[in-house]
Amino acid sequence: MPDTAEDAIADQLRLAPSVLREPPPGFAPRVAAGLDVAYLGETGRLVAAAACVDVETGELVDAAVVAGHTDFPYVPGLFAYRELPSLRAALSALTTTPDVLVCDGQGLAHPRRFGLACHAGVVTGLPAIGVGKTPMGRYDPPAPARGSWTPLIDDGEEVGRALRTQDGVKPVFVSIGHRMDIDTATALVLRLCRGYRQPETTRAADRLCRQALRDLR
């Protein structure tokens, strides 16, 4: 992995054309893996979690947490270079191979069209989706009903969607990561949001990270 922000930006620009914007033929995921990272203050120590959820039932079927460390600087748009090595270690520790990755972050909704979800998808070869809590672009608020969405626009390009996952709650921001299209991503995120704003994948990975941080402390 690159050591400097300048090298990381060059790496993103090199890899961004590798993103495939269509899902695999017959894509029908049964297991989705949520990915999340949490930091122990400003120490550089972190924990990374991969939580596999049954798409049909929402139940946790496999999980792995690893402790790691990063020296890469905190630079907006370059989070993958802080987080991805540990996330890949967590994925490698799973006993289940997920059908799709659901990242707590951005995909194409990124200045160089290569956010964490794109990077994770390209390096693993797995279909991937970004589900962010904050927008990377401008949007009009979607209608209040669950399933409503509006385009997320950056520099005149539609890079994702502001998606209402529950009636009346704040939207999440969905963008494709790799081997994915936006309609498929939107439908899958809605399936995974079972009564809460965030997908069950993200919720499960977040719980694992919080517990691991408590154990580290």
PDB file of all heavy atoms in Angstrom, residues 200-213:
ATOM      1  N   GLU A 200     -28.436  -4.228   8.243  1.00  0.00           N
ATOM      2  CA  GLU A 200     -28.044  -5.152   9.311  1.00  0.00           C
ATOM      3  C   GLU A 200     -26.557  -5.501   9.231  1.00  0.00           C
ATOM      4  O   GLU A 200     -25.927  -5.762  10.263  1.00  0.00           O
ATOM      5  CB  GLU A 200     -28.882  -6.432   9.234  1.00  0.00           C
ATOM      6  CG  GLU A 200     -30.337  -6.230   9.590  1.00  0.00           C
ATOM      7  CD  GLU A 200     -30.506  -5.673  10.998  1.00  0.00           C
ATOM      8  OE1 GLU A 200     -29.826  -6.154  11.926  1.00  0.00           O
ATOM      9  OE2 GLU A 200     -31.316  -4.734  11.166  1.00  0.00           O
ATOM     10  N   THR A 201     -25.991  -5.490   8.039  1.00  0.00           N
ATOM     11  CA  THR A 201     -24.559  -5.743   7.876  1.00  0.00           C
ATOM     12  C   THR A 201     -23.735  -4.700   8.626  1.00  0.00           C
ATOM     13  O   THR A 201     -22.803  -5.023   9.369  1.00  0.00           O
ATOM     14  CB  THR A 201     -24.199  -5.719   6.387  1.00  0.00           C
ATOM     15  OG1 THR A 201     -24.900  -4.629   5.753  1.00  0.00           O
ATOM     16  CG2 THR A 201     -24.584  -7.004   5.701  1.00  0.00           C
ATOM     17  N   THR A 202     -24.064  -3.434   8.425  1.00  0.00           N
ATOM     18  CA  THR A 202     -23.346  -2.347   9.094  1.00  0.00           C
ATOM     19  C   THR A 202     -23.566  -2.389  10.594  1.00  0.00           C
ATOM     20  O   THR A 202     -22.627  -2.204  11.387  1.00  0.00           O
ATOM     21  CB  THR A 202     -23.800  -0.993   8.531  1.00  0.00           C
ATOM     22  OG1 THR A 202     -23.541  -0.955   7.121  1.00  0.00           O
ATOM     23  CG2 THR A 202     -23.082   0.162   9.216  1.00  0.00           C
ATOM     24  N   ARG A 203     -24.796  -2.647  11.011  1.00  0.00           N
ATOM     25  CA  ARG A 203     -25.101  -2.688  12.431  1.00  0.00           C
ATOM     26  C   ARG A 203     -24.325  -3.802  13.134  1.00  0.00           C
ATOM     27  O   ARG A 203     -23.785  -3.617  14.229  1.00  0.00           O
ATOM     28  CB  ARG A 203     -26.606  -2.871  12.627  1.00  0.00           C
ATOM     29  CG  ARG A 203     -27.415  -1.623  12.342  1.00  0.00           C
ATOM     30  CD  ARG A 203     -28.919  -1.911  12.186  1.00  0.00           C
ATOM     31  NE  ARG A 203     -29.444  -2.819  13.172  1.00  0.00           N
ATOM     32  CZ  ARG A 203     -29.739  -2.492  14.443  1.00  0.00           C
ATOM     33  NH1 ARG A 203     -29.552  -1.249  14.872  1.00  0.00           N
ATOM     34  NH2 ARG A 203     -30.239  -3.397  15.280  1.00  0.00           N
ATOM     35  N   ALA A 204     -24.255  -4.967  12.481  1.00  0.00           N
ATOM     36  CA  ALA A 204     -23.546  -6.092  13.080  1.00  0.00           C
ATOM     37  C   ALA A 204     -22.048  -5.817  13.166  1.00  0.00           C
ATOM     38  O   ALA A 204     -21.410  -6.091  14.190  1.00  0.00           O
ATOM     39  CB  ALA A 204     -23.806  -7.362  12.279  1.00  0.00           C
ATOM     40  N   ALA A 205     -21.459  -5.271  12.094  1.00  0.00           N
ATOM     41  CA  ALA A 205     -20.030  -4.970  12.110  1.00  0.00           C
ATOM     42  C   ALA A 205     -19.714  -3.889  13.139  1.00  0.00           C
ATOM     43  O   ALA A 205     -18.685  -3.946  13.827  1.00  0.00           O
ATOM     44  CB  ALA A 205     -19.569  -4.545  10.719  1.00  0.00           C
ATOM     45  N   ASP A 206     -20.581  -2.915  13.275  1.00  0.00           N
ATOM     46  CA  ASP A 206     -20.373  -1.850  14.261  1.00  0.00           C
ATOM     47  C   ASP A 206     -20.392  -2.416  15.685  1.00  0.00           C
ATOM     48  O   ASP A 206     -19.560  -2.046  16.526  1.00  0.00           O
ATOM     49  CB  ASP A 206     -21.456  -0.786  14.097  1.00  0.00           C
ATOM     50  CG  ASP A 206     -21.342   0.322  15.135  1.00  0.00           C
ATOM     51  OD1 ASP A 206     -20.411   1.139  15.033  1.00  0.00           O
ATOM     52  OD2 ASP A 206     -22.180   0.370  16.060  1.00  0.00           O
ATOM     53  N   ARG A 207     -21.333  -3.318  15.965  1.00  0.00           N
ATOM     54  CA  ARG A 207     -21.388  -3.930  17.303  1.00  0.00           C
ATOM     55  C   ARG A 207     -20.100  -4.687  17.613  1.00  0.00           C
ATOM     56  O   ARG A 207     -19.562  -4.615  18.721  1.00  0.00           O
ATOM     57  CB  ARG A 207     -22.588  -4.878  17.406  1.00  0.00           C
ATOM     58  CG  ARG A 207     -23.931  -4.187  17.519  1.00  0.00           C
ATOM     59  CD  ARG A 207     -25.008  -5.162  17.952  1.00  0.00           C
ATOM     60  NE  ARG A 207     -25.202  -6.239  17.006  1.00  0.00           N
ATOM     61  CZ  ARG A 207     -26.055  -6.205  15.997  1.00  0.00           C
ATOM     62  NH1 ARG A 207     -26.816  -5.121  15.786  1.00  0.00           N
ATOM     63  NH2 ARG A 207     -26.193  -7.234  15.181  1.00  0.00           N
ATOM     64  N   LEU A 208     -19.602  -5.424  16.617  1.00  0.00           N
ATOM     65  CA  LEU A 208     -18.366  -6.172  16.817  1.00  0.00           C
ATOM     66  C   LEU A 208     -17.193  -5.238  17.095  1.00  0.00           C
ATOM     67  O   LEU A 208     -16.358  -5.517  17.966  1.00  0.00           O
ATOM     68  CB  LEU A 208     -18.070  -7.020  15.587  1.00  0.00           C
ATOM     69  CG  LEU A 208     -19.003  -8.206  15.328  1.00  0.00           C
ATOM     70  CD1 LEU A 208     -18.766  -8.765  13.936  1.00  0.00           C
ATOM     71  CD2 LEU A 208     -18.786  -9.292  16.379  1.00  0.00           C
ATOM     72  N   CYS A 209     -17.118  -4.122  16.358  1.00  0.00           N
ATOM     73  CA  CYS A 209     -16.048  -3.167  16.576  1.00  0.00           C
ATOM     74  C   CYS A 209     -16.121  -2.555  17.972  1.00  0.00           C
ATOM     75  O   CYS A 209     -15.087  -2.397  18.648  1.00  0.00           O
ATOM     76  CB  CYS A 209     -16.101  -2.064  15.524  1.00  0.00           C
ATOM     77  SG  CYS A 209     -15.432  -2.537  13.900  1.00  0.00           S
ATOM     78  N   ARG A 210     -17.301  -2.201  18.399  1.00  0.00           N
ATOM     79  CA  ARG A 210     -17.449  -1.575  19.716  1.00  0.00           C
ATOM     80  C   ARG A 210     -17.007  -2.538  20.820  1.00  0.00           C
ATOM     81  O   ARG A 210     -16.339  -2.143  21.778  1.00  0.00           O
ATOM     82  CB  ARG A 210     -18.894  -1.139  19.924  1.00  0.00           C
ATOM     83  CG  ARG A 210     -19.317   0.060  19.066  1.00  0.00           C
ATOM     84  CD  ARG A 210     -20.802   0.353  19.260  1.00  0.00           C
ATOM     85  NE  ARG A 210     -21.261   1.375  18.348  1.00  0.00           N
ATOM     86  CZ  ARG A 210     -21.229   2.682  18.620  1.00  0.00           C
ATOM     87  NH1 ARG A 210     -20.761   3.103  19.788  1.00  0.00           N
ATOM     88  NH2 ARG A 210     -21.667   3.563  17.744  1.00  0.00           N
ATOM     89  N   GLN A 211     -17.408  -3.788  20.708  1.00  0.00           N
ATOM     90  CA  GLN A 211     -17.014  -4.766  21.702  1.00  0.00           C
ATOM     91  C   GLN A 211     -15.509  -4.981  21.699  1.00  0.00           C
ATOM     92  O   GLN A 211     -14.864  -5.075  22.756  1.00  0.00           O
ATOM     93  CB  GLN A 211     -17.731  -6.094  21.462  1.00  0.00           C
ATOM     94  CG  GLN A 211     -17.385  -7.182  22.484  1.00  0.00           C
ATOM     95  CD  GLN A 211     -17.737  -6.787  23.895  1.00  0.00           C
ATOM     96  OE1 GLN A 211     -18.871  -6.454  24.190  1.00  0.00           O
ATOM     97  NE2 GLN A 211     -16.740  -6.800  24.793  1.00  0.00           N
ATOM     98  N   ALA A 212     -14.922  -5.039  20.512  1.00  0.00           N
ATOM     99  CA  ALA A 212     -13.479  -5.246  20.416  1.00  0.00           C
ATOM    100  C   ALA A 212     -12.710  -4.069  21.003  1.00  0.00           C
ATOM    101  O   ALA A 212     -11.667  -4.263  21.640  1.00  0.00           O
ATOM    102  CB  ALA A 212     -13.079  -5.470  18.962  1.00  0.00           C
ATOM    103  N   LEU A 213     -13.201  -2.850  20.803  1.00  0.00           N
ATOM    104  CA  LEU A 213     -12.547  -1.682  21.398  1.00  0.00           C
ATOM    105  C   LEU A 213     -12.615  -1.750  22.933  1.00  0.00           C
ATOM    106  O   LEU A 213     -11.643  -1.419  23.614  1.00  0.00           O
ATOM    107  CB  LEU A 213     -13.207  -0.394  20.921  1.00  0.00           C
ATOM    108  CG  LEU A 213     -12.775   0.163  19.567  1.00  0.00           C
ATOM    109  CD1 LEU A 213     -13.428   1.522  19.341  1.00  0.00           C
ATOM    110  CD2 LEU A 213     -11.266   0.286  19.474  1.00  0.00           C
TER     111      LEU A 213
END
